[in-house]
């Protein structure tokens, strides 16, 4: 079948890479793609919804895989489905589980899904929010309700920090319209983990667990980012934790979404905190995680495209893929200054000639005059994967590969995966 992957980041490069191994693939297109995806298929520049439709018809696209959250929240999947194009990814109503954190919280409260206690405030309720912040226990977490590219979360250690953050969000508009409404949430103690559930809305397949590293600095210091690295599987997600996640989180959420008339088909991402009381939901996303996908997909055996296609056509094939052990780690190299202002346009050297257990996933890169240059905050993800569970060795391989790569202002964390050895 002919497949179109939509997106240009590391997640989309990983999806294209995995799909390219499928026996059921004929032609692969990526829009807009990046220099990494160009090695796997054909990058195409598509501007509008109508252009997507025209392209799918002209190229007999059997499946569209939508990578980022923005087009899902804006209803691209609905538009294509209305025109008889098969899509992997939820419709606009279901994508609201990520589009509005307040909706996700409402859903969890209604269907008894374990999550942090919280309170919501609109920007017009600034005074009420300030007075609430004076009378609660710290630390707390303040989240923008809308989409903020994975960066709309601030952890505040005390009331001064919280009040300053409130001003940043409501007055200085650091998250734009996404911060017109906020969630103030209790701070959960524990180990973070991510679960990717591929679902047709009724049944689901869980991919190997992973752990993302959100903060910019070593030992989880500094600002939140879109993700500085991940490893899979996460030892904190034991068999019994996984079975609890299925029972208390994934099943009730899918069932709740159906009852709300928002049947969710695609990849449901559950960001979890494994607390002393069991797993609790930190956030839901309506798509594959980035960079978790770059660490998880190399460990998935079988026909990944078959899994996505079966999910998109309404009856998931639970035998399409499996996980038979193995470990992977992805370390993200970013531009100096990220997640704030950063410069771009620097040549990246050392991207070629790696052994098969190393993959360089392109994220913020472009080709210019035959050279690959930086074009984003998160530039590349270096993934090392092994068919046995030896994270220590995978870490060594990934960091060794990173030492061969260079671009001006290159920065990465040195402690990705270290939590696994606690």
């Amino acid at each position: 079948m002919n497949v179109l992957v939509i997106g240009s980041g590391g997640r989309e490069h990983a999806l294209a890479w995995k799909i390219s191994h499928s026996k059921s693939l004929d032609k692969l297109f990526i829009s807009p793609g990046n220099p990494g995806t160009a090695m796997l298929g054909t990058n195409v520049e598509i501007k509008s919804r109508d252009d997507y439709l025209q392209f799918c018809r002209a190229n007999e696209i059997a499946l569209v895989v939508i990578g980022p959250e923005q087009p899902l929240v804006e209803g691209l999947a609905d538009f294509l489905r209305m025109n008889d194009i098969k899509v992997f990814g939820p419709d606009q109503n279901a994508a609201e589980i990520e589009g509005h954190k307040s909706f996700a919280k409402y859903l969890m409260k209604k269907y008894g899904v374990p999550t942090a206690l919280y309170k919501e405030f609109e920007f017009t309720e600034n005074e009420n929010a300030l007075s609430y912040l004076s009378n609660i226990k710290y630390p707390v977490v303040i989240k923008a309700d809308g989409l903020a590219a994975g960066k709309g979360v601030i952890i505040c250690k005390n009331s001064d920090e919280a009040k300053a953050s409130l001003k940043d969000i409501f007055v200085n508009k650091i998250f734009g319209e996404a911060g017109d409404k906020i969630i103030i949430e209790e701070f959960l103690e524990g180990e973070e983990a991510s679960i990717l559930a591929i679902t047709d809305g009724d049944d689901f397949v869980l991919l190997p667990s992973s752990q993302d590293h959100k903060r910019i600095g070593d030992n989880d210091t500094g600002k939140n980012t879109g993700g500085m690295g991940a490893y899979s599987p996460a030892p904190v997600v034991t068999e019994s934790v996984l079975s609890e996640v299925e029972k208390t989180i994934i099943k009730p959420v899918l069932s709740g979404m159906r009852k709300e008339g928002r049947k969710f088909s695609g990849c449901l991402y559950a960001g979890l905190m494994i607390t002393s009381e069991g797993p609790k939901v930190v956030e839901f996303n309506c798509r594959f995680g980035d960079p978790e996908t770059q660490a998880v997909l190399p460990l998935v055996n079988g026909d990944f495209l078959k899994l996505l296609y079966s999910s998109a056509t309404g009856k998931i094939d639970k035998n399409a893929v499996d996980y038979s052990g193995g470990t992977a780690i992805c370390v993200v190299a970013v531009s100096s200054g990220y997640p704030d202002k950063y410069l771009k346009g620097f040549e990246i050297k050392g991207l070629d000639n790696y052994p098969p257990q190393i993959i360089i996933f392109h994220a913020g890169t472009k080709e210019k005059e035959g050279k690959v240059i930086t074009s984003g905050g998160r530039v590349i993800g270096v993934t090392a994967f092994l068919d046995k569970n030896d994270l220590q060795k995978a870490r060594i391989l990934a960091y060794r590969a990173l030492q061969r790569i260079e671009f001006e202002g290159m920065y990465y964390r040195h402690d990705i995966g270290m939590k696994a050895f606690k």
Side-chain angles (χ1 to χ4, degrees):
M1 61 179 98
N2 296 345
V3 175
L4 170 64
V5 174
I6 294 176
S8 64
R11 163 186 49 220
E12 288 76 34
H13 186 178
L15 287 166
W17 173 80
K18 196 64 189 173
I19 289 166
S20 73
H21 290 89
S22 170
K23 291 188 184 81
S24 30
L25 178 72
D26 188 7
K27 287 184 189 150
L28 178 60
F29 299 94
I30 310 94
S31 170
N34 61 41
T37 61
M39 296 187 266
L40 303 167
T42 307
N43 285 352
V44 286
E45 197 69 51
I46 304 175
K47 295 289 184 210
S48 70
R49 284 183 172 196
D50 290 332
D51 292 347
Y52 275 120
L53 184 58
Q54 231 172 338
F55 180 86
C56 289
R57 285 177 173 161
N59 293 278
E60 296 179 341
I61 298 296
L63 183 68
V64 175
V65 179
I66 302 178
E69 61 276 16
Q70 198 72 44
L72 292 167
V73 167
E74 287 169 0
L76 179 59
D78 311 54
F79 172 75
L80 292 173
R81 283 194 188 106
M82 248 163 40
N83 289 283
D84 298 320
I85 309 287
K86 291 184 173 59
V87 182
F88 179 85
D91 64 21
Q92 189 169 24
N93 266 344
E96 200 171 343
I97 199 162
E98 177 172 5
H100 288 288
K101 291 187 175 68
S102 52
F103 169 69
K105 283 295 201 182
Y106 152 82
L107 189 79
M108 288 187 273
K109 193 173 178 181
K110 183 168 175 180
Y111 294 100
V113 174
T115 186
L117 299 172
Y118 72 103
K119 204 151 173 62
E120 292 169 23
F121 294 94
E122 306 264 355
F123 73 98
T124 51
E125 302 173 286
N126 192 22
E127 290 308 313
N128 294 351
L130 280 169
S131 113
Y132 179 73
L133 289 172
S134 297
N135 298 299
I136 53 170
K137 204 173 80 176
Y138 285 87
V140 294
V141 184
I142 302 181
K143 297 179 176 181
D145 180 50
L147 293 180
K151 302 185 196 99
V153 176
I154 306 171
I155 296 165
C156 307
K157 294 190 198 78
N158 53 48
S159 124
D160 290 345
E161 280 186 16
K163 287 172 180 175
S165 299
L166 194 68
K167 185 179 178 185
D168 278 342
I169 299 169
F170 279 167
V171 181
N172 303 331
K173 299 285 182 195
I174 58 166
F175 300 133
E177 282 180 15
D180 282 354
K181 185 179 189 177
I182 58 161
I183 308 278
I184 300 177
E185 203 175 71
E186 72 168 321
F187 178 79
L188 295 176
E189 297 272 1
E191 280 280 338
E192 282 191 65
S194 307
I195 296 288
L196 304 174
I198 310 302
T199 177
D200 56 16
D202 296 304
D203 214 344
F204 58 90
V205 168
L206 296 187
L207 300 185
S209 64
S210 58
Q211 187 176 69
D212 183 15
H213 298 63
K214 279 283 187 203
R215 302 290 198 97
I216 186 71
D218 286 356
N219 303 316
D220 292 333
T221 53
K223 289 190 173 178
N224 257 357
T225 69
M228 293 297 294
Y231 65 93
S232 175
V236 68
V237 183
T238 59
E239 282 299 320
S240 71
V241 166
L242 200 57
S243 122
E244 200 175 335
V245 168
E246 279 197 30
K247 194 172 70 202
T248 65
I249 294 168
I250 306 296
K251 282 179 180 168
V253 162
L254 292 178
S255 156
M257 289 293 271
R258 290 194 301 272
K259 287 174 185 160
E260 298 289 318
R262 298 170 185 258
K263 190 172 180 178
F264 187 103
S265 161
C267 176
L268 178 67
Y269 166 114
L272 309 174
M273 189 68 76
I274 313 302
T275 73
S276 55
E277 297 165 357
K280 293 187 179 186
V281 177
V282 174
E283 63 175 350
F284 282 117
N285 293 330
C286 62
R287 38 73 191 178
F288 286 93
D290 187 343
E292 292 97 331
T293 305
Q294 294 91 298
V296 169
L297 291 193
L299 303 181
V300 174
N301 304 318
D303 193 328
F304 184 64
L305 177 53
K306 197 174 174 186
L307 177 73
L308 301 188
Y309 187 78
S310 67
S311 155
T313 49
K315 186 74 189 93
I316 195 163
D317 180 350
K318 295 181 79 168
N319 300 313
V321 300
D322 65 13
Y323 164 67
S324 54
T327 190
I329 182 167
C330 172
V331 185
V332 176
V334 305
S335 300
S336 171
Y338 174 81
D340 297 319
K341 284 193 176 136
Y342 53 85
L343 297 173
K344 46 192 180 184
F346 302 113
E347 185 183 355
I348 309 165
K349 293 177 179 162
L351 291 172
D352 302 318
N353 304 320
Y354 287 93
Q357 64 264 49
I358 296 284
I359 320 162
I360 311 294
F361 289 120
H362 289 238
T365 68
K366 275 203 174 122
E367 194 165 333
K368 190 179 178 184
E369 295 160 5
K371 293 174 177 172
V372 178
I373 60 166
T374 65
S375 69
R378 292 190 293 173
V379 178
I380 52 159
V382 174
T383 294
F385 66 103
L386 302 168
D387 54 13
K388 59 179 180 177
N389 205 335
D390 186 349
L391 183 60
Q392 192 66 54
K393 186 176 177 190
R395 278 192 89 248
I396 291 166
L397 291 173
Y399 278 104
R400 197 179 284 160
L402 266 165
Q403 283 161 9
R404 282 186 46 197
I405 296 167
E406 52 182 284
F407 58 85
E408 194 170 318
M410 173 171 157
Y411 168 81
Y412 55 88
R413 277 180 59 164
H414 294 83
D415 64 341
I416 305 298
M418 288 309 289
K419 286 182 191 171
F421 306 117
K422 272 186 182 173

